Amino acid sequence: MTRTRIVGWSIGLLFLLVGDARAAERTRVLMLHAFNYSFPATSVIAEAARKRLAEHSKLVEIDAEFLDLARNTDEAHSLRTATFIRDKYGKHPPDLVITLGSNALPFVIKYRDMLPDVPVVFASISPQTYAALRPPPEMTGIITSFDLARTLSLAEQLQPEARRLFVIAGSGETDRRWQPIARKMIEERGGKFETTFLFELPYSELVAELSKVPNDAIVILLSVFADAEGKAFVPAQVAADLSALSPAPVYGPYDTFIGNGVVGGFVETFESVGVAAAEMAIEIMEGADPATLTPRTNPAQHYRVDYRAMQRWDLKEKDLPPDTLVLFKKPTIWDEYRGTVLAALSVLGLQTAFLGALLIQRRRRQRVEELLKDSEERMTFAAAAANIGLWQFDRDTDKLWVTEHCRALFGLPSDAPLTREAFLATVHPDDLETANRSIRRTSRTERPSASDVRIVLPSGDLRWIRMRARSFTEGNGEPKQLGGIFVDITDQKSAEAETALQRLEIEHLMRVSVLGELSGSIAHEVNQPLTAILSNAQAALHLLAQNSPALAEIREALEDIVHEDNRAGEVIHRLRSLLKKGERKMESININDLVRSTISLLNSELIGRDISVRLDLESSVLLARGDSVQLQQVLLNLVMNSMDAMASTPMNRRSIVISTRGAKTGMVDVLVRDRGHGIRPEANGRLFEPFYTTKDHGLGLGLSLCSTIVKTHQGKLTLINAEGGGAVAAFSLPVHQLSRGST
Amino acid sequence: MTDTFTVYLVDDDPGVLKALSRLLQAKGYVVKPFSSPQVFLEEHDAAVPGCAVLDVSMPGLDGLEIQRVLTAASGYHRPVMFITGKGDIPTSVRAMKAGAIDFLTKPVKDKDLFEAVSRAKARDAESRRFHSEMESVQAKLSNLTPREREVFTHVVAGRLNKQIAGDLGTVEKTIKVHRSRMMEKLGIRTVADLVRMAEKLNLSK
């Protein structure tokens, strides 16, 4: 409370002190208007000056007197007026007088005694007037000077391409003052413009000349107070008339031309004159000696242009010199409310940006969605065209996604739900385990898997579907998604089956052909037991015919008959199986037994060809998995090749060694070594080609078939030359099971 | 050493070997079976009467080779017959040319086999008889003096005593003495017997 009051008091005291000080500094300015108060030019100057002074100090008092010298040119009026001012201001003369209008200055000079010693600041005095008046030193002010060069430079900037210049001046006193100024200025420019001076012309002729001006020229109107015929004109009106008809832009040095159709020029404004005069007044009021202040040219001259005129001649605002005042331009919202607009715009802009960002994001998302959709459609279409169904299975949700084509692939009706169960229901019961196993296996690893299953179509037909699957790991490494394709491979399967059938056919034909070659020897193999049987039987008969038959011997004979019959039966069985057509039968095969039984078929052939055979068999039982007939065929072929290869080998050197080895690599090796001519260089590398043969009577299918058979047993067939002559044919098969045992 | 007719049976097939042995034994033959031709050749005794029944096709030595070896070794014609699973003509021709008794194809009928074996037995007996005759003739010839052997040669050639004496540079009487001694030593009475004996000797050469 107390504190507030003390502050209040202090402020009050301060105001009193300041008020007192300002009263002491109060300044009085008397404005002397040459004309009456309605004369616009001086009014504008006075108002501008008053504003400037008020800005400078609130303690400036302004008085104004209107001399009205234009309407009252008689000496008595002047004297009366001067007396009036002396009477009115004599006792308390103003601190400063500002004269407005050129006639006011001579009046002040003439009646200097009405306000002696008061400094005078004049405005709007032409240099010529100033020179003629020779005012005393305490009178200073603003001299108006036209800068024609800068008016021209404005034109040049707005019309940089212009090369022709037309300069207009009338025949009046002022007009003629302009003419040398203009010539001099253009001369100083050098030969830049092709200049036409339209001076001293009758007005009609001037109009005619001007209308022929090319539209890319520059026209400068100086002043036309009178034409060559002595007709008087108002320059501002002339400016309006000539601008209206000129094809090219018109420029001028006068403020008054602007607004009357002229583009513009470097002109002084009445406001600027007022401000300039006020500035000088302020300097004097602050203690400057007016005698030391020389008159100034109004520094505040401006480029001024009429926006409407610029538009008419299609001149660009951007080409204007800096600080050009553009008049008659309808101010834009931007110009008028720049700040507000900026703020609003920035808010709007932010909102727009935000909205835009949202829109862009949305659009982008839509686009991505569209792209995804397109991509998916394309993929689905392409997959369907390729007869492929796509599927994906989410282990978490137990949801299955499939393409529509899967429906056709699996023969599901169009209204059936595409669930995992629906698909599994179509699988052939025998293949259900395969399908489930494949899915389980894929779930565990990331390795892609493929399995072929049969499905039963509604018609009852079978269709082979290859299911390729792969799991996708997500984050924690646990596979969550399973995905893959379904392909109809029925055609492939039937082609495979056909091929397999044809191969079996060929294999069979080859076996028949081999057995045909061996027929004599095989007949012998059957004939031997037959011989034994017959002899035993006849022996038994003879024994029986004796008086005291040796029954024990007869029994033995009969037993031998049974044995020999079995022996013959075995040969025939082997023969039949080799001659039989049939599918492959995978079984466990004792490789050593295979070698022995094969050799037994070849026994008499080997004897017949004087070839000795040595078996070097692994002591343990070697088991491989395969088809015994096919493998016997391979061995048969290899041994027969060895036999053929030794046709020209000396008899005592003809030998074949057949070895079996259970290599530690998990393979069973069977080697057939001969001492024949070996692989001839020209045959090397071609031995496994179908229809390639080195034999006179060969088909060239033996080794090719053998190779195929061994390959289908996951094995490998090789044929190389042996050290010391001959060849070694070897095939290796995966060990089915290796059990240690006696020979 | 027995004089019993023995059938030497060689076949690499044990079943066949056993059956044929049994058959021949049932007929009453003594059979020596061999599954290996080499073993047979090693154990073969030409002095034992008998015949060889050989399989043509055997590893190592085939039947025809055994036949050749047998002949070359003893100079004695052991009757040989062949049994074969493949009765091809060239082989049988070769075998027969080499003096085989028969060439039988398996399975062998007992009749054919017995007939062949009995022929072989007869041939063997004849051959053996002839062989022993020759042996005694040879023994008698070895008792002759060189002069007596010369006289033997001339007599067989049909020369008269006088001519022989002239050839040998002696008198007819001396020739007569040598001739009677030679006849006596050889146990021959007529010139015709002497000529027949000479023929036999020639055959065996």
Side-chain angles (χ1 to χ4, degrees), chain A residues 520-521 524 527-540 542-543 546 553-554 556-558 560 564 567 603-605 607-608 610, chain B residues 11-16 18-20 22-28 55 57-60 62 65 84-86 105-111 114:
Chain A
S521 304
H524 184 66
N527 210 23
Q528 291 291 85
L530 283 182
T531 303
I533 288 166
L534 182 61
S535 298
N536 275 317
Q538 288 174 333
H542 284 289
L543 289 168
Q546 286 167 2
E553 185 65 21
I554 292 167
E556 266 185 50
L558 290 173
D560 283 355
E564 290 300 322
R567 188 179 145 201
N603 189 38
S604 62
E605 184 72 19
I607 291 166
D610 288 305
Chain B
D11 195 312
D12 63 314
D13 187 320
V16 172
K18 197 173 172 191
L20 289 175
R22 182 173 287 134
L23 182 60
L24 288 165
Q25 279 164 350
K27 189 66 182 174
D55 184 16
S57 167
M58 283 183 294
D62 70 17
E65 279 175 280
T84 177
K86 322 170 188 173
T105 52
K106 290 177 183 174
V108 188
K109 293 196 175 93
D110 54 352
K111 240 193 285 171
F114 295 154

Side-chain angles (χ1 to χ4, degrees), chain A residues 517-518 521 599 602-613 636-649 654-656 672-677 695:
Chain A
E517 225 176 296
L518 292 173
S521 304
I599 290 307
L602 288 166
N603 189 38
S604 62
E605 184 72 19
L606 287 162
I607 291 166
R609 297 206 203 182
D610 288 305
I611 297 167
S612 69
V613 172
L636 207 58
N637 242 300
L638 297 182
V639 176
M640 284 189 69
N641 280 347
S642 290
M643 286 159 64
D644 289 345
M646 291 192 289
S648 53
T649 303
R654 292 180 189 176
S655 71
I656 292 174
V672 179
R673 189 199 157 145
D674 64 54
R675 310 187 80 175
H677 53 63
K695 300 177 189 176

Side-chain angles (χ1 to χ4, degrees), chain A residues 646-666:
Chain A
M646 291 192 289
S648 53
T649 303
M651 285 196 194
N652 57 354
R653 278 180 51 83
R654 292 180 189 176
S655 71
I656 292 174
V657 179
I658 301 177
S659 340
T660 56
R661 292 286 179 270
K664 290 161 188 100
T665 53

